Amino acid sequence: MKKIKISLLGQVAMAIGLGILFGQFLPAAVARIFVTFNSLFGNFLSFSIPLIILGLVAPAIGELGKGAGKLLAVTTLLAYASTVFSGFFTFFSASAVFPQMLPQTTLSALENPEHQMLATYFTVDMPPLMDIMTALLLSFVIGLGLSVIGGTTLQKGFVDFRDIVIRLIENVIIPLLPLHIFGIFLNITLSGQIVSILSMFIKVILVIFVLHILLLLIQFSIAGLASRRNPLVLLKNMLPAYATALGTQSSAATIPVTLKQALKNGVKETVAVFVIPLCATIHLSGSTMKIVACAMAIMYMAGQPVTLGSYGGFILMLGITMVAAPGVPGGAIMAALGLLGSMLGFDETLQALMIALYIAMDSFGTACNVTGDGAIAVIIDKIAPSFAGK
């Protein structure tokens, strides 16, 4: 009998539903067992985040620096610019609508869980080897160094370290996430805040759906302007890739379809086979949109200030971090947790809400990512002749 495999989205949905259900009748003494697990898992996650950043960012920067010259540099910069634009576009759009849509201070009790939420039976400190900013700076220094030196020994070592980090994410953190989210929603239900949380989820999902459609229209309008072609036709030709990504929830798995549709848009094969696989890794405009919007929604409802000053640096750093996000379900939000904690002050509970909200829209973010890859391919195809022979 074939074993039924439930997707991460399905597991998270079940965890949220069961957390709400069991929160209606489970005794507090039993619920505290799951709260204790959440504390242990959260501490382990805090310990792992600097390792995740170092293991993903350093080899990614090192590999980019050893690539195919100016065309690689231009493609990478264009992907980064698109990702950062997505972040600021989301920030200003959400700033206009979230204050009217979301009740502020609704989640303020989550900032003081000892007053309204269940306490743990015990805690185990798991101090990280370094703080988040140290991990980021060290990753940049090592990555840039790897990109310019002639040797490969250290690069190979960091590639092996990246494999360890990815296995940690795939085999430990991701499988335990549903149980972690179950415990969070169990505790939130017992605290009487679940209605406001679910209402926020629905509103944010609707806003992000509209924003990611607008983002695609902007991306293809720029591509159409650069190539002097109808942007709606270009976007229409990429819809099979969009639909495939909705089903697979994987940019890598959608590459064959994205490549085929890019060729249909008139992109030269030599350009398409270079740009599409690269952008599947480094261009995450849709994922960036989800992270920025979800973080803003949670901060509004927690009564925390949301300013351009605090989010400007976060978005710029997030664009770099997304380049190194692993290609596994939930990989982008895993890579972003360090920035959420260090730059926006998200604690374990708010990070768990971010993970649940992000994964609830994983398909839409992936579809936006891969469809936008088609726009970048069109632009690069237009400017590629200037790099011929270089």
Side-chain angles (χ1 to χ4, degrees):
M1 184 176 178
K2 187 176 180 180
K3 185 177 180 181
I4 299 176
K5 185 177 181 180
I6 303 176
S7 67
L8 180 60
L9 174 59
Q11 294 177 43
V12 169
M14 290 177 59
I16 293 174
L18 291 174
I20 296 172
L21 176 63
F22 280 87
Q24 307 299 323
F25 60 84
L26 203 65
V30 177
R32 287 180 65 191
I33 296 175
F34 295 100
V35 175
T36 302
F37 166 80
N38 282 356
S39 173
L40 296 174
F41 181 82
N43 287 344
F44 178 74
L45 197 57
S46 297
F47 166 81
S48 302
I49 285 173
L51 301 180
I52 292 173
I53 290 173
L54 183 62
L56 296 179
V57 175
I61 295 176
E63 288 174 342
L64 286 177
K66 297 177 182 296
K70 293 184 177 180
L71 186 59
L72 172 70
V74 171
T75 304
T76 303
L77 288 174
L78 188 58
Y80 177 75
S82 175
T83 300
V84 169
F85 173 81
S86 172
F88 282 105
F89 170 70
T90 304
F91 173 83
F92 288 114
S93 300
S95 296
V97 298
F98 279 174
Q100 287 72 41
M101 292 180 59
L102 302 176
Q104 297 189 28
T105 72
T106 303
L107 305 183
S108 57
L110 298 182
E111 299 298 296
N112 299 285
E114 67 274 11
H115 297 308
Q116 298 203 27
M117 299 179 72
L118 296 178
T120 64
Y121 280 116
F122 62 90
T123 60
V124 177
D125 289 334
M126 304 180 195
L129 297 176
M130 63 189 82
D131 60 35
I132 301 301
M133 192 54 63
T134 299
L136 283 167
L137 292 174
L138 185 60
S139 299
F140 295 155
V141 171
I142 293 176
L144 292 172
L146 291 174
S147 70
V148 298
I149 64 174
T152 60
T153 302
L154 190 57
Q155 174 72 28
K156 291 178 180 178
F158 269 93
V159 169
D160 288 342
F161 183 47
R162 177 175 61 191
D163 292 341
I164 294 173
V165 167
I166 290 177
R167 292 202 176 196
L168 172 67
I169 294 173
E170 289 181 326
N171 300 327
V172 180
I173 295 177
I174 294 296
L176 290 177
L177 272 181
L179 183 58
H180 183 51
I181 291 172
F182 167 80
I184 290 292
F185 276 83
L186 174 67
N187 206 357
I188 290 174
T189 302
L190 289 169
S191 72
Q193 302 176 76
I194 192 59
V195 174
S196 60
I197 295 287
L198 292 181
S199 174
M200 180 266 286
F201 268 39
I202 294 172
K203 292 175 181 178
V204 173
I205 289 172
L206 290 175
V207 169
I208 292 179
F209 177 76
V210 173
L211 289 182
H212 100 272
I213 297 298
L214 293 176
L215 177 63
L216 288 176
L217 289 173
I218 293 172
Q219 289 175 334
F220 279 89
S221 294
I222 296 173
L225 185 63
S227 63
R228 297 181 181 179
R229 299 183 60 187
N230 188 329
L232 295 180
V233 173
L234 295 174
L235 179 57
K236 179 183 176 182
N237 288 338
M238 293 303 302
L239 291 182
Y242 182 94
T244 303
L246 284 178
T248 63
Q249 299 180 27
S250 169
S251 297
T254 312
I255 286 176
V257 180
T258 311
L259 182 59
K260 178 182 177 182
Q261 299 310 120
L263 294 173
K264 188 175 180 179
N265 270 338
V267 178
K268 289 186 289 291
E269 185 174 0
T270 54
V271 173
V273 298
F274 174 79
V275 172
I276 295 300
L278 177 63
C279 285
T281 303
I282 68 173
H283 180 228
L284 281 76
S285 56
S287 299
T288 299
M289 171 175 286
K290 289 191 300 178
I291 291 171
V292 173
C294 294
M296 291 179 66
I298 289 174
M299 290 183 70
Y300 271 121
M301 293 189 67
Q304 298 180 8
V306 177
T307 64
L308 180 59
S310 62
Y311 264 84
F314 171 73
I315 292 170
L316 293 174
M317 292 296 295
L318 184 63
I320 298 174
T321 305
M322 290 297 95
V323 171
V328 298
I333 187 62
M334 288 294 103
L337 286 181
L339 295 178
L340 289 168
S342 63
M343 300 188 75
L344 298 184
F346 275 43
D347 60 15
E348 297 165 9
T349 301
L350 298 186
Q351 288 180 3
L353 288 177
M354 272 291 302
I355 293 170
L357 186 51
Y358 179 93
I359 293 175
M361 298 173 287
D362 201 25
S363 295
F364 292 121
T366 303
C368 184
N369 292 339
V370 301
T371 307
D373 294 347
I376 290 181
V378 171
I379 297 173
I380 294 297
D381 183 68
K382 182 65 178 178
I383 64 178
S386 62
F387 299 109
K390 296 185 180 180

